Amino acid sequence: MHSRPFDQCGSIDIVLKSNKTITNYVRAGDLNAARKLFDEMPLRTTVTWNSMLAGYSKKPGSLEAARELFDRIPEPDVVSFNTMLACYFHNSDIETARAFFDGMPVKDIASWNTMVSGLSQSGKMGEASQIFSVMPQKNSVSWSAMISGHVEAGDLESAEYLFRLAPVKSVVAWTAMITGYMRFKKIELAEMFFEQMPVRNLVTWNSMIAGYVENCRAEDGLKFFKRMISDGIRPNPSSYSSVLLGCSNLSALQLGKQVHQFIYKTPLFLNTTVGTALLSMYCKCGELQDARKLFVVMHWKDAATWNAMISGYAQHGSGEKAILLFDEMGMEDVKPDWITFVAVLTACNHAGLVESGIRYFDSMRRDYQIEPMPDHYTCMVDLLGRAGLLGKAVELINNMPFKPHSAIFGTLLGACRMHKNLELAEFAAQNLLLLDPYSAAGYVQLANIYAAMNNWDNVAKVRQLMKANKVVKTPGYSWIEVKNVINEFRSGDRVHPELNSIHQKLGELEKRMKQAGYSPNLDYALHDVGEEQKEQMLLRHSEKLAVAYGLICSPAGTTIRVFKNLRVCGDCHTAIKYISLIEEREIILRDTTRFHHFRNGSCSCGDYW
């Protein structure tokens, strides 16, 4: 339309059509086409200027262009001023926004709401409250902005107070409260609010699903997702991201595949966010090949997509492939971010590529202008510690540009246990407990080091200190998905209905493993009891119980996938290598650190873990 000459300059019809076209271009994100049409128009109304201004307002980094356009508007109206005000907030220029607001010749309720919303979203709740208190008129948008702002600022009490006072409670306000309750782990209140809501929207459902997943109740989140579908609510990328994260947390591969099939039938199958969430789910559920296939066929990949695939290779111990993919990322002109380097350093760590890890760490600031963050230093301490370079790890900690956080010393402590360096372990534990006196991991790791050295007196002292400080150890457990049912096991489990069959299977395996050369490593039986009792305790570790159950319940030759919430036990790692050889099965075990793929008596980690 805009390529035709304007032979009817005074025609209001042409102006209206041009305005509509500009608006459509802006909504589609094609600001260049909108500006080209705008510049060609011989006649413009204030609506024309406002439409173009709105386009610049929504595009980050376009503040100067927006201000230049605003200053040229012949007769700016209140919409012009409101749009320019919003532009300042979109570009985080809060001081100028406040001055601009104070100088506005006319203000309507939208002007006040823009100020309240902008300040709230910027975390300036004190200033937002001041504006809110002097507003000449308030509507549901005003109240919702304040309630949402307090929730985001972590002030649930103020949010509750305003919610009670609000004369009209919009769906935004209700949803904000649900988000707040989930964030503060008040799940029952979130559920109550959801059921009481007069009207719900997709964001409300997403808030509930994400809340369940974030509170380690992924099964409830998946049930809620099914309820949402049955109620006729169409999911969006955020919905799928949450539900696939839930599948990842539960390691529910079959359910994840069902979600994949559901997505495949919708246009969202081409969505980059959804594709990345699917790829990540396959990586975290142990299906690296399926993740790679999905990565290859994805039409559009952003940095998050590349990060997910690189991280997948890293977690599965394929360090060389992770590094090759990082190089390919550069050739595709995709700029890495700090998350990319966490994945790359993790890949070097798990593959024992010490020199490569040091080189990539040094290149962050030099070649990519990315300042190393605590997560990067934690990766480097782990990399050096695993390699036995404990002195260099301590030197790195001492030269950090910021105060070390607890994870740094926790990582160092783990390396000290691996290399049985008691002196440095005590140093790491002392610093860890100084930063986080309620860290169960710190006490447990130190106690385990003493136990491995048969220093039972100090083990008792550490346990007494835990009891005195009311620190509770996170119980270790493993789980396996069989026929869409998650079966959970704890060490020495006494409640699983198939326990007799599992113990019988383990007894058979123990005999055959010993015949093949297996010898129980009693260093991992961390109790002061006799050797025979220690062997029985090792045989009842949660990962062995889960593997045995998988062998009983799955067809011969199929892959067994087991997941554990803590690091795999060293004796279990050795035992499962023998089991994979004896049973001629591939066994995939994921712990908190990485994946272990056991085949024909060996592990993909090369015993470097």
Side-chain angles (χ1 to χ4, degrees), residues 105-154:
V106 60
K107 303 181 182 76
D108 61 5
I109 192 168
S111 312
W112 290 90
N113 284 342
T114 300
M115 276 301 293
V116 170
S117 299
L119 291 168
S120 297
Q121 291 168 9
S122 302
K124 305 283 186 181
M125 290 311 300
E127 295 180 41
S129 297
Q130 290 176 358
I131 297 290
F132 182 77
S133 65
V134 297
M135 285 180 69
Q137 183 184 357
K138 301 179 181 72
N139 60 11
S140 63
V141 176
S142 322
W143 290 93
S144 298
M146 289 298 297
I147 293 167
S148 300
H150 281 303
V151 167
E152 289 303 314

Side-chain angles (χ1 to χ4, degrees), residues 88-102:
Y88 284 119
F89 280 115
H90 291 160
N91 287 274
S92 303
D93 193 347
I94 298 170
E95 291 185 10
T96 308
R98 183 61 191 260
F100 184 82
F101 176 79
D102 292 339

Side-chain angles (χ1 to χ4, degrees), residues 98-304:
R98 183 61 191 260
F100 184 82
F101 176 79
D102 292 339
M104 285 172 59
V106 60
K107 303 181 182 76
D108 61 5
I109 192 168
S111 312
W112 290 90
N113 284 342
T114 300
M115 276 301 293
V116 170
S117 299
L119 291 168
S120 297
Q121 291 168 9
S122 302
K124 305 283 186 181
M125 290 311 300
E127 295 180 41
S129 297
Q130 290 176 358
I131 297 290
F132 182 77
S133 65
V134 297
M135 285 180 69
Q137 183 184 357
K138 301 179 181 72
N139 60 11
S140 63
V141 176
S142 322
W143 290 93
S144 298
M146 289 298 297
I147 293 167
S148 300
H150 281 303
V151 167
E152 289 303 314
D155 187 358
L156 187 59
E157 187 177 344
S158 295
E160 288 177 315
Y161 174 74
L162 286 177
F163 185 83
R164 287 192 296 268
L165 286 182
V168 179
K169 298 172 177 62
S170 70
V171 66
V172 175
W174 281 92
T175 302
M177 291 306 302
I178 287 173
T179 302
Y181 285 131
M182 282 294 192
R183 196 166 292 170
F184 280 81
K185 304 186 182 303
K186 297 184 177 183
I187 300 173
E188 291 183 359
L189 282 173
E191 291 170 335
M192 182 185 75
F193 263 58
F194 181 86
E195 299 301 339
Q196 290 179 352
M197 285 181 69
V199 179
R200 306 180 187 112
N201 60 16
L202 178 58
V203 179
T204 315
W205 287 90
N206 286 348
S207 182
M208 287 294 294
I209 296 168
Y212 279 126
V213 173
E214 289 164 5
N215 281 285
C216 303
R217 288 179 51 174
E219 287 187 68
D220 290 324
L222 298 180
K223 290 176 184 176
F224 225 81
F225 177 75
K226 292 177 182 177
R227 178 181 166 185
M228 182 178 84
I229 298 296
S230 64
D231 279 11
I233 308 298
R234 184 177 297 177
N236 67 357
S238 179
S239 316
Y240 287 120
S241 294
S242 292
V243 78
L244 287 168
L245 179 59
C247 293
S248 299
N249 292 349
L250 289 172
S251 308
L253 177 61
Q254 296 307 315
L255 185 55
K257 287 183 174 181
Q258 290 175 20
V259 175
H260 188 173
Q261 289 301 315
F262 189 86
I263 294 170
Y264 190 77
K265 299 173 184 177
T266 73
L268 286 177
F269 181 69
L270 298 174
N271 182 275
T272 301
T273 300
V274 173
T276 302
L278 270 171
L279 186 157
S280 181
M281 181 276 295
Y282 279 119
C283 286
K284 292 175 180 176
C285 288
E287 282 286 359
L288 196 59
Q289 289 184 347
D290 284 350
R292 177 65 189 185
K293 289 177 185 176
L294 186 61
F295 178 83
V296 170
V297 301
M298 284 181 66
H299 295 283
W300 296 281
K301 305 179 186 78
D302 57 14

Side-chain angles (χ1 to χ4, degrees), residues 253 285-288 315-316 478-481 505-506 509 512-513 541-564 568-569 571-591 594-607:
L253 177 61
C285 288
E287 282 286 359
L288 196 59
Q315 293 302 317
H316 285 264
S478 301
W479 65 97
I480 182 171
E481 180 185 12
K505 181 66 177 179
L506 283 173
L509 287 171
R512 296 173 65 191
M513 286 192 296
H541 275 191
S542 66
E543 48 266 66
K544 290 192 184 82
L545 294 171
V547 167
Y549 184 66
L551 292 170
I552 293 169
C553 297
S554 60
T558 57
T559 300
I560 294 172
R561 290 179 175 80
V562 172
F563 305 87
K564 186 174 181 180
V568 60
C569 155
D571 177 72
C572 289
H573 188 270
T574 302
I576 296 172
K577 285 197 292 184
Y578 280 97
I579 293 171
S580 70
L581 177 66
I582 292 167
E583 293 285 330
E584 297 181 350
R585 296 278 201 115
E586 179 181 3
I587 302 171
I588 299 174
L589 171 63
R590 187 189 83 187
D591 64 9
R594 58 170 297 158
F595 277 89
H596 299 265
H597 294 253
F598 298 92
R599 297 187 191 94
N600 300 318
S602 62
C603 179
S604 59
C605 72
D607 295 337

